[in-house]
Structure formats: structure tokens, C-alpha cells
Amino acid sequence: MSEQEKFAVLRAARRIWAISPVHGDMARLRALHGYVAEQFQEGDRLIYLGGMLGRGSDVAGVVDELVSFRRQILARPHMFTIDIAYLRGQQEVMWQKLLQLQFAPNPKEVLPWMLQQGVGTTITAYGGDPAEGIIRCREGALAITRWTNSLRTAMQARPGHYQLMAELRRAAYTDDYGLLFVHAGIDPDRPLDAQGDTLWWGSAGFAALNHPYGEFLKVVRGFDRHHAGPAMSDFAVTLDGGCGYGGKALVACLDAKGDILDLVEA
């Protein structure tokens, strides 16, 4: 996999709008989009910090909204596809693995665990039944393949959905290496290309980050397992309002140094 396929690079960013996980809450995402649309200026960039799918009641509506707003922003002067980035979060990782469930060594254990983590609403959004998935896991690889293929086909039938999932990246950074954006955290002792699952499951090291991570001035994440609200330090920013866990969705406007110029919740 090439560097471009792993990481998004936000070039010549004057300001960056970073949207927290919304976890299937279309109404909150639409409200944030409405605010960003009014404030968006030339030279601004946009990034979603993962966690778009899962948990909430309107996963398909969230992806519809993402596709629609992408078109709106790209229609503005001097905007290009590389100016918008989408990070892979926990829910997106699980969905991608779910679509390949037939290759898992123990699908009868994997699927129930995924359902406990909130992937069931994404299954339902694409016409699937989580209970049927449990049954297919008992029947073997061929039955699972038919079931996951039906989910994939349903996603492909929704305009732009499958294409948007292909845009997901492990992390993103500004071209001057000022800011690094991740879903859930980093291990400060490992280089970026060796982070692995830490990017979407997080680590205790992020909260204790008291020095720059590599060349980056600050690391910005969107998911905190404790959902303790937005937090800022000299070297790290957390943008998690707890959306999908009884809280709110957030959007922050950051300058090139990672200072928060604006913070709005929905």
C-alpha cells in the first residue's frame, strides 16, 4: 500500500475544520455542516476524524449527508478532492472487516463482539439483519459470504457510499508537518507507519503526550474512550463530544499551529 493510500495530506491549509465522530447521527452532522458551510473560506480544509458509521439510528443518512456536503464544498472555487480527508475509525474498521467476515478464523465469536461495539446499526442501514448474521456464522463460510455480499451490494447501490468508504485513510497531516490527525490516538514511542490498530483503538500514551510527536507540532484526535469532552494541551487536541454515547457532535476550526479558533457543538 502506497503512502498516499495510507495517509491524507492537507496542502496549503490556512485553516482546518475538523469534525468529531457522529456515529450515525445524521441530524447533528447536518447541523455541523450548516455551520461550516457559512464559515468556510478560501484556503480552508475539511477533515472527518472517523466514527461516521455505527451506533446511531441513521447511518445511511449520515453517508448520504457526507456525499452531499462533499459535492457542495468541492463546487467552491479552488477546492480539490485532496482538500477533504476522511479518517478510518473504529466503526469503519469493523465494517470493513465485517464485509470479509468469511475469512475470519472465528466468525462465530467475531460478529457478536462487533455487535456489542455498535456495528449492528450499520448492518441494518444496508438492509441486513444482525440476527441473520449470527445464523450464517453457524452455517459456515459460504453462507457468510452470501450474507456479506448482500451487504456490500446494498452499499454499492447507494450513490457515493462505496466510493466514500474507499477514501478512508489511516491518518492525515498537513504538508508542513504542523498537525497530525488521527481517530483515537497514537503510541508516542512508535513511528506513524508502525502505529497499526492504535490509530483507531487508542493508547494510554496519548493522554500523557508531553512533547511533540516526531516533527508534528500537535496531534488531533476525534475519539476518546472516556468521552470526556474536548480537551487541549500544548501537544494534543481531543475533539470528542460523546456523540453516539449520549453526547454531542463537535466541529473545531484550527489554525496551522493547531490552536482552536472556533468550536461548535450540535
Side-chain angles (χ1 to χ4, degrees), residues 153-172:
T153 299
M155 174 173 259
Q156 290 171 336
R158 299 289 295 251
H161 283 220
Y162 204 71
Q163 292 81 356
L164 190 77
M165 290 299 104
E167 293 292 324
L168 299 180
R169 297 293 181 263
R170 296 183 183 183

Side-chain angles (χ1 to χ4, degrees), residues 60 95 98-100 102 122-128 144-163 165:
W95 178 245
L98 179 77
L99 294 180
Q100 302 175 24
Q102 60 269 26
T122 305
I123 294 173
T124 303
Y126 293 108
I144 298 171
T145 299
R146 292 194 186 104
W147 184 65
T148 57
N149 281 347
S150 70
L151 296 174
R152 182 181 291 104
T153 299
M155 174 173 259
Q156 290 171 336
R158 299 289 295 251
H161 283 220
Y162 204 71
Q163 292 81 356
M165 290 299 104

Side-chain angles (χ1 to χ4, degrees), residues 222-244:
F223 183 84
D224 169 18
R225 70 182 68 178
H226 302 295
H227 313 295
M232 288 133 287
S233 70
D234 290 340
F235 306 103
V237 176
T238 296
L239 297 174
D240 185 349
C243 192

